[in-house]
Amino acid sequence: LPLEAGLWIARSLSFFVYLFNDRSQLAYANLKAAFGTRFNPRERKRITRKHVSNLLQNAVEVLRFPKVNQHYFKKYIDWDHQERYVNAFRSRQGTVVITPHFGNWEFTQVASSLLGEPLHVLAREQKHGRLNDFLNEIRSYQGAVLIHTKGALRQLFKVLHKGKTVGMLGDLSGGREGIVVRFFGRKTTAPAGIFEMAKRTGAVVIPSFAIRVNGPYHKIFVLDAFPIL
């Protein structure tokens, strides 16, 4: 299907997913816990529906990764401060790109490959083996190098010591070993490993995130590097 048609179908199906998936209720409850009275019930439902719609559109776009090329990116993707990212990986001191589950976070690895710097990405194992293999094949189609959880830490250190670039999700739980932080007024933990690796290897940590502007159009923001103390 053409891209626009595929995304339209995803948006249409998202209404039924929103109605019948228990996670929609969980998302609604989390919005209420995080923002209190800032949003009324109608607004919380609207935000939850838009979130579900975005996730289904993400799935359509990921399935089309083999068709993504420079023309696609020039048409649909806008960069904010792309030079920060380019300067970081060209310095060859090692770069960690940290991104959250926001917008279509999978685009970061494709964007990096099209700039000439394949990302080394930590791949989380999916519950279903065939689905796991399928997703890994799609992710690596544009040149991303997948690092599996077994022996991942040693491999990530090697990549950074060679001056290459690693992509990591920064909004995962840090577990008992993580740093205690306050997130939306509640205590949780964040992973400390990203900054420990950067400190030991001298790598630069670049925050980046993508937002869906409208339909297939996205904007990728690249922020200033984190100071490593």
Side-chain angles (χ1 to χ4, degrees):
L1 291 173
L3 176 61
E4 295 277 6
L7 294 178
W8 181 86
I9 291 173
R11 289 192 295 269
S12 301
L13 289 176
S14 69
F15 175 74
F16 299 98
V17 175
Y18 164 77
L19 286 179
F20 299 109
N21 193 309
D22 292 340
R23 289 184 177 270
S24 297
Q25 298 177 12
L26 178 61
Y28 180 94
N30 283 337
L31 283 171
K32 186 176 182 180
F35 293 102
T37 58
R38 178 175 174 181
F39 301 111
N40 60 42
R42 180 178 295 179
E43 289 171 324
R44 286 196 289 267
K45 289 179 181 179
R46 179 181 58 82
I47 294 171
T48 304
R49 280 191 58 186
K50 289 185 69 175
H51 173 65
V52 174
S53 175
N54 181 67
L55 288 178
L56 265 68
Q57 290 180 84
N58 286 356
V60 169
E61 288 165 335
V62 168
L63 291 173
R64 295 178 62 87
F65 273 2
K67 295 180 177 292
V68 174
N69 53 24
Q70 293 286 358
H71 173 74
Y72 183 102
F73 253 74
K74 288 180 180 178
K75 183 176 181 180
Y76 295 116
I77 311 297
D78 183 28
W79 283 82
D80 183 77
H81 289 297
Q82 177 183 327
E83 76 282 354
R84 291 173 178 168
Y85 182 61
V86 174
N87 292 338
F89 75 70
R90 284 182 178 173
S91 70
R92 288 306 167 200
Q93 65 183 98
T95 303
V96 179
V97 181
I98 182 171
T99 188
H101 288 91
F102 196 86
N104 191 341
W105 60 93
E106 298 280 2
F107 263 130
T108 304
Q109 61 198 25
V110 180
S112 186
S113 294
L114 292 175
L115 286 175
E117 181 67 9
L119 270 186
H120 292 70
V121 183
L122 188 63
R124 297 175 66 188
E125 293 287 333
Q126 304 295 321
K127 292 182 180 179
H128 304 288
R130 293 176 69 179
L131 174 62
N132 187 71
D133 293 342
F134 178 63
L135 286 176
N136 287 343
E137 181 180 351
I138 290 177
R139 286 168 172 162
S140 61
Y141 193 89
Q142 294 290 349
V145 181
L146 301 181
I147 296 176
H148 298 283
T149 50
K150 187 177 181 180
L153 190 60
R154 182 178 297 177
Q155 293 183 60
L156 290 172
F157 270 107
K158 285 182 178 180
V159 169
L160 293 175
H161 276 303
K162 290 179 181 179
K164 296 183 180 180
T165 305
V166 167
M168 301 191 72
L169 290 163
D171 58 349
L172 301 174
S173 171
R176 294 183 179 180
E177 304 298 324
I179 303 172
V180 177
V181 296
R182 190 166 290 277
F183 187 70
F184 287 114
R186 292 181 289 179
K187 285 185 177 181
T188 184
T189 60
I194 294 172
F195 296 97
E196 283 296 323
M197 285 193 300
K199 191 173 182 179
R200 293 186 186 184
T201 61
V204 178
V205 180
I206 298 289
S208 176
F209 63 96
I211 65 168
R212 184 181 301 279
V213 179
N214 184 32
Y217 296 93
H218 298 258
K219 189 166 187 175
I220 298 177
F221 292 84
V222 183
L223 308 184
D224 287 321
F226 279 119
I228 306 299
L229 304 178

